[in-house]
Amino acid sequence: MNVRCLFILPALLSALPLALNAQLFTLATDVGDAAADNLPSVGGSWNDLNQDGYPELLVTGFDVGRNNRLYLNQQDGAYSALLHSPFTQTPGTWGSVIGLSGDCDNDGDEDVMLCSYRDNAGRKLPLWLLKNSGAPDYELVPDTAFASPPGSYPTATWVDYDLDGDLDFFAGAANGSTDLFYRNDGNAFTRIDTLSFLQFRSGFITHDSWADLDEDGDLDLYVANYSAPNANTFHRSMLRETGDPNYFLPVQIDGLTGVPGANIGVNWIDYDNDGDLDAYLNHYNARDRFFRNDAGYFFTEITGEPMLDVSAYTNFNIWADFNNDGRLDLALAHQLGGSSKGKVYLNEESGFRLLSTEEAGDFSTAFIAQAQSAGLADHDLDGDVDIYVANTVNTSTPAPNLLFRNETGNRNNWLQIRLKGIQSNPNGYGSKVYVTAVIEGDTVRQMRYVSGGTTSYSFQENTMLHFGLGNAKEALAVEVHWISGTTDICTGISANQRIEIEEASCLASSTKETPENGRDFQWRNLYPNPGGAALICTVVLKKATRLHWRLADENGRTCLSGSSLFTGGMHQVSLPAGGLPAGRYAIELWAGQGKESRWWVKAE
């Protein structure tokens, strides 16, 4: 198994309690240049560019004479601005919107695509691809493949639309420009103009997102529009059905398509831990809309939650488990009276609860001047998720961007996971990761979708996925459903660490590769975990021997037991677990001089 531990939090820190009167977020004033530059900004990306484990900040500038910023993480909580970089010196940076990280040349480091709105004279600009030169300098070097045509591109996504293992690119247009799509043919990009969803945009497209909404194994496209009468649209990929990656079918989804409106951003999240993608849409001068996924294309609009009662310009919506309790929480900012106010809504068993100013802390009181987007990352590697706000596009109201440090204090456990694709694209974009743990006595299965685009309008998600584990000391199972179709299942992953999972490395779960001295068998795999009626244990026996098994509930009561005589070699042992109630069980296997036990979860 190739699950690489990136960093383990000291056990002492993970046990520190959060004081009852502590605030959730503190405005960080000791982070150097990242909070000192008065840079009117629209968006950015918070990802590790130099492979030191700490995320760097790319922030796009939106003002004459004030270029983009690349902030290097100094590993002590502070950032320094790297001023002499192609990202910061790219011509015509007024109107830069997004810098998207993605390993488009499959060389193991993050490249960046820069999308702009216009230059200092109001002229349209082409896309700019900046390739990472790698160690030791990790310089971003301009690539001329996207030198034309010029346009206005406020949204974009890295996506492996043809499932060939490399990253293609889509840029959504605005204000008299046409959408662009480039297919990656092994480090050479070919522009495709014939895709049915590509349009000339007289209005303003605000967000595109690619996700396997119908769960058929390929990536569909959802487009959000700001300018009426343009309505949101959904384009179903027919690759799995026809073998043609260029065949997209328009599909109407009640509530999500066909309704004109000023949509600012869309976030696809599994807020209710039921394993599918729900949708939150933030709006301009209207109430936000929230939809629960009830399988396939059937969505139910959610009402009655406190964040849906405000009719305002919602600048962004970002989702993370801020208190590490195993449920995704929501942070957003409402623009009222020329400035924005941050709000945090905790996801609790009874619904969402708006935190008071005292509870939310500085995020709800700091001056946020017309924020456009916000990003999430554990920037200081302390086991909780911090927030960075791209603070303003109003050049007459200068204000610095803001970094809010999470003060949870790790009273709950956590796990962070980064993917390394082999058959899939290197970033694992388009894949889904499921983590199962027993939290406060309940079996909780969380899901994160790995997007190659932005959330909250124009800020890219951090590729280090964060899972709160509550009081669970381990993840019973980590499942990676790769976009290639491969499924990895790793079991018994300890809490409070960062791991990297390489594709096809957990097909046999976390065990020693060879039996220990004196052992007569090796337990290779327990699958699926969580599972249902089918429970399969894969074992390797040194010689012909009798293998015994016992399955017991959490109180130690035996539910199943038996034994069989096997020859030497690899065998799969199927245990009849279909009649067992849902819950957590201990499984013991022994043969000759060896004995092992593991936990298994019977799903509902």
Side-chain angles (χ1 to χ4, degrees):
M1 180 185 71
N2 190 7
V3 176
R4 186 162 64 100
C5 177
L6 302 177
F7 183 89
I8 299 178
L9 191 72
L12 178 62
L13 181 57
S14 66
L16 291 175
L18 179 68
L20 293 178
N21 60 348
Q23 61 183 24
L24 183 57
F25 289 103
T26 298
L27 179 62
T29 59
D30 55 351
V31 294
D33 296 332
D37 287 341
N38 281 339
L39 178 72
S41 304
V42 180
S45 173
W46 213 350
N47 277 301
D48 184 7
L49 293 180
N50 58 9
Q51 298 184 345
D52 65 351
Y54 288 78
E56 273 68 53
L57 263 168
L58 295 174
V59 180
T60 54
F62 201 87
D63 188 16
V64 176
R66 300 184 183 185
N67 290 344
N68 304 319
R69 292 290 188 270
L70 170 53
Y71 300 108
L72 298 179
N73 195 319
Q74 299 300 299
Q75 303 185 13
D76 58 0
Y79 293 81
S80 62
L82 182 62
L83 300 178
H84 302 290
S85 163
F87 179 78
T88 62
Q89 301 299 321
T90 300
T93 54
W94 184 29
S96 294
V97 179
I98 308 170
L100 283 177
S101 298
D103 184 4
C104 68
D105 51 7
N106 289 27
D107 66 350
D109 49 41
E110 297 294 308
D111 310 300
V112 176
M113 184 73 84
L114 178 63
C115 305
S116 298
Y117 186 65
R118 57 186 176 183
D119 69 5
N120 296 347
R123 296 169 298 197
K124 298 173 182 177
L125 291 168
L127 304 171
W128 287 85
L129 175 61
L130 304 170
K131 287 192 175 180
N132 195 324
S133 64
D137 299 324
Y138 295 96
E139 183 182 2
L140 297 177
V141 181
D143 187 284
T144 59
F146 300 86
S148 64
S152 296
Y153 308 111
T155 183
T157 312
W158 291 112
V159 56
D160 184 6
Y161 91 113
D162 51 4
L163 306 183
D164 66 348
D166 53 30
L167 291 175
D168 314 297
F169 194 79
F170 171 75
N175 292 350
S177 301
T178 300
D179 299 339
L180 297 179
F181 193 92
Y182 291 88
R183 186 184 65 229
N184 191 339
D185 295 314
N187 203 23
F189 287 89
T190 300
R191 182 180 167 189
I192 303 177
D193 296 322
T194 57
L195 296 170
S196 60
F197 55 79
L198 298 176
Q199 295 184 27
F200 173 81
R201 308 277 178 178
S202 58
F204 203 105
I205 180 175
T206 54
H207 198 263
D208 73 283
S209 52
W210 294 75
D212 184 10
L213 204 59
D214 55 2
E215 298 188 353
D216 65 348
D218 50 32
L219 295 175
D220 313 304
L221 171 63
Y222 183 77
V223 176
N225 283 283
Y226 172 78
S227 303
N230 299 313
N232 296 347
T233 57
F234 177 75
H235 308 269
R236 180 188 179 191
S237 172
M238 301 299 290
L239 171 58
R240 291 296 191 188
E241 290 77 11
T242 67
D244 182 359
N246 299 319
Y247 181 15
F248 285 81
L249 186 68
V251 174
Q252 296 298 317
I253 303 177
D254 188 30
L256 289 175
T257 64
V259 179
N263 295 279
I264 305 300
V266 181
N267 215 330
W268 297 97
I269 37 85
D270 181 17
Y271 86 97
D272 51 2
N273 288 339
D274 67 348
D276 53 28
L277 291 171
D278 312 297
Y280 191 96
L281 285 68
N282 51 299
H283 286 263
Y284 177 77
N285 285 346
R287 288 179 172 82
D288 295 343
R289 303 185 73 189
F290 192 12
F291 294 88
R292 184 183 67 242
N293 190 332
D294 291 325
Y297 303 128
F298 298 97
F299 286 80
T300 299
E301 184 163 7
I302 297 171
T303 59
E305 296 289 359
M307 61 278 201
L308 306 174
D309 293 336
V310 182
S311 183
Y313 177 2
T314 304
N315 304 96
F316 55 80
N317 77 92
I318 50 177
W319 294 75
D321 187 355
F322 294 122
N323 58 358
N324 287 341
D325 68 347
R327 290 184 289 264
L328 284 175
D329 310 304
L330 168 64
L332 49 74
H334 293 308
Q335 188 177 133
L336 297 167
S339 65
S340 305
K341 295 297 181 183
K343 295 181 182 295
V344 179
Y345 298 87
L346 284 191
N347 187 351
E348 300 180 337
E349 290 186 13
S350 58
F352 289 86
R353 179 174 67 88
L354 172 63
L355 293 187
S356 67
T357 299
E358 292 75 21
E359 291 174 308
D362 293 341
F363 184 75
S364 63
T365 59
F367 175 66
I368 303 175
Q370 298 185 21
Q372 288 296 296
S373 62
L376 299 167
D378 181 5
H379 93 104
D380 47 7
L381 305 193
D382 66 348
D384 50 38
V385 180
D386 311 297
I387 298 176
Y388 190 82
V389 175
N391 198 13
T392 182
V393 295
N394 185 347
T395 59
S396 65
T397 310
N401 297 323
L402 305 174
L403 195 157
F404 297 94
R405 185 168 49 237
N406 192 322
E407 304 290 358
T408 296
N410 294 303
R411 70 180 186 275
N412 287 325
N413 297 315
W414 52 273
L415 180 67
Q416 294 178 2
I417 301 170
R418 186 172 66 199
L419 301 184
K420 181 180 180 180
I422 303 298
Q423 296 300 318
S424 302
N425 62 82
N427 299 87
Y429 289 152
S431 304
K432 295 178 182 177
V433 179
Y434 300 81
V435 169
T436 301
V438 177
I439 302 175
E440 301 294 341
D442 294 326
T443 301
V444 178
R445 185 172 184 250
Q446 305 175 61
M447 185 265 281
R448 303 287 186 268
Y449 172 67
V450 190
S451 172
T454 62
T455 58
S456 85
Y457 175 40
S458 55
F459 215 111
Q460 185 183 25
E461 285 281 299
N462 183 264
T463 55
M464 180 68 78
L465 307 176
H466 181 92
F467 295 84
L469 296 181
N471 66 340
K473 296 182 179 180
E474 69 170 2
L476 300 180
V478 176
E479 306 166 56
V480 184
H481 294 203
W482 297 89
I483 190 59
S484 68
T486 300
T487 298
D488 279 302
I489 301 178
C490 312
T491 59
I493 304 297
S494 299
N496 301 331
Q497 63 171 324
R498 292 169 184 84
I499 62 174
E500 180 182 85
I501 298 179
E502 183 177 290
E503 188 171 8
S505 65
C506 286
L507 298 178
S509 67
S510 52
T511 67
K512 296 180 176 62
E513 295 298 328
T514 58
E516 297 175 355
N517 292 334
R519 299 286 294 276
D520 289 324
F521 81 104
Q522 179 189 7
W523 189 349
R524 284 282 184 89
N525 196 16
L526 171 61
Y527 180 83
N529 191 7
L535 168 58
I536 298 174
C537 301
T538 303
V539 298
V540 177
L541 300 173
K542 283 186 177 180
K543 59 184 179 180
T545 188
R546 181 170 290 275
L547 179 71
H548 302 263
W549 61 85
R550 174 178 176 267
L551 188 147
D553 63 18
E554 289 192 288
N555 295 317
R557 292 188 293 265
T558 299
C559 302
L560 293 173
S561 63
S563 67
S564 289
L565 183 63
F566 293 96
T567 61
M570 181 179 292
H571 299 274
Q572 289 188 331
V573 183
S574 180
L575 304 184
L580 298 175
R584 191 177 189 228
Y585 294 87
I587 300 175
E588 295 179 343
L589 297 181
W590 66 95
Q593 300 300 315
K595 185 175 185 178
E596 289 191 33
S597 61
R598 298 186 188 179
W599 289 103
W600 176 70
V601 174
K602 172 67 182 302
E604 297 291 344

